[in-house]
Each structure stands twice: as C-alpha cells, then as structure tokens.
Amino acid sequence: MAKSDTSHHDERIANMAFGSVLPHYISKIEKKGRTQEEMYSVIQWLTGYDKDQILAHAANKTNFRDFFDQCELNPNANLITGVICGYRVEEISNETTRQCRYLDKLIDELARGKKLERILRKPK
C-alpha cells in the first residue's frame, strides 16, 4: 500500500537544489540507453522550461520550490498517476512535493523504456 503523508520531508524537498538532482536523472536515463535530449523534452513538457532555462536553474542552484513556482506546469500534469518512492503521486497533498514526484515519475518512465509519446500525457 502506498503512503500518502509526505509532511515529514516536504520542507527538505522544497529546499533541495534542482541542480543537485539533475545529474542523478541524467545518470539514470543514460544507464538505460535514453538520451539527455529525451530527458529535457520530458522536463520541458512538465514545466515549460526549455533546455537553456533548465540548465540555468541547475547552475543557479534554484530550489525545487522556486523551480516549480516559476514554471507553467503542464495542464495535463494531473494525468501523472502511480507510485514513486513509495508514494501515490495523485494523493500527495503538498503541491511542491507532488510536482517533484511528477518529475521523478516521468524520469522513471523514461528510464524504464516507455515511449515518449506515452510519457507526455494527453487527455483521453
């Protein structure tokens, strides 16, 4: 059964630098034969940031709270469902934590070989 209470780490996630996690995303997807360009496409779909903006946030050590507060979250992001890190993403009440888990879920799907068209959700 997935957990839904993230309150014990919401603040830690919000204050974590996006740039400290990006290399882990890159490593994860490249080990599975996916490209950085695919990863940037996924992040752009979720946030609206282009590759240069993503890299600027990483270089500027933007925390996840500001990273998501400053973006135009994709209106279909709520179609991202499932369990990541033991949490059902659609049940996470803290907005920043849920958005971080959206991103984690998309990167995980990319690494697992899911087709890009399926990762970039469109309403039915």
Side-chain angles (χ1 to χ4, degrees), residues 24 26 38 43 55 120:
H24 298 287
I26 293 169
E38 289 174 306
I43 298 171
L55 293 173
L120 310 181

Side-chain angles (χ1 to χ4, degrees), residues 21-34 36 39 107 111:
V21 178
L22 188 61
H24 298 287
Y25 290 157
I26 293 169
S27 174
K28 182 175 190 169
I29 59 111
E30 286 183 338
K31 274 193 253 180
K32 299 293 186 165
R34 300 307 287 260
Q36 286 187 34
M39 180 199 68
I107 297 298

Side-chain angles (χ1 to χ4, degrees), residues 56-96:
H57 279 292
N60 293 333
K61 298 181 173 67
T62 304
N63 66 31
F64 273 109
R65 177 183 290 117
D66 293 341
F67 181 78
F68 283 110
D69 281 351
Q70 296 168 19
C71 83
E72 286 290 328
L73 197 70
N74 189 298
N76 293 332
N78 64 323
L79 299 175
I80 302 168
T81 60
V83 177
I84 189 79
C85 301
Y87 294 91
R88 184 155 288 288
V89 292
E90 62 271 26
E91 295 176 0
I92 297 171
S93 59
N94 181 280
E95 187 175 16
T96 302

Side-chain angles (χ1 to χ4, degrees), residues 5-37:
D5 179 20
T6 61
S7 60
H8 59 285
H9 65 244
D10 289 339
E11 208 48 40
R12 181 177 57 82
I13 288 173
N15 292 320
M16 189 179 307
F18 169 74
S20 70
V21 178
L22 188 61
H24 298 287
Y25 290 157
I26 293 169
S27 174
K28 182 175 190 169
I29 59 111
E30 286 183 338
K31 274 193 253 180
K32 299 293 186 165
R34 300 307 287 260
T35 68
Q36 286 187 34
E37 291 310 313

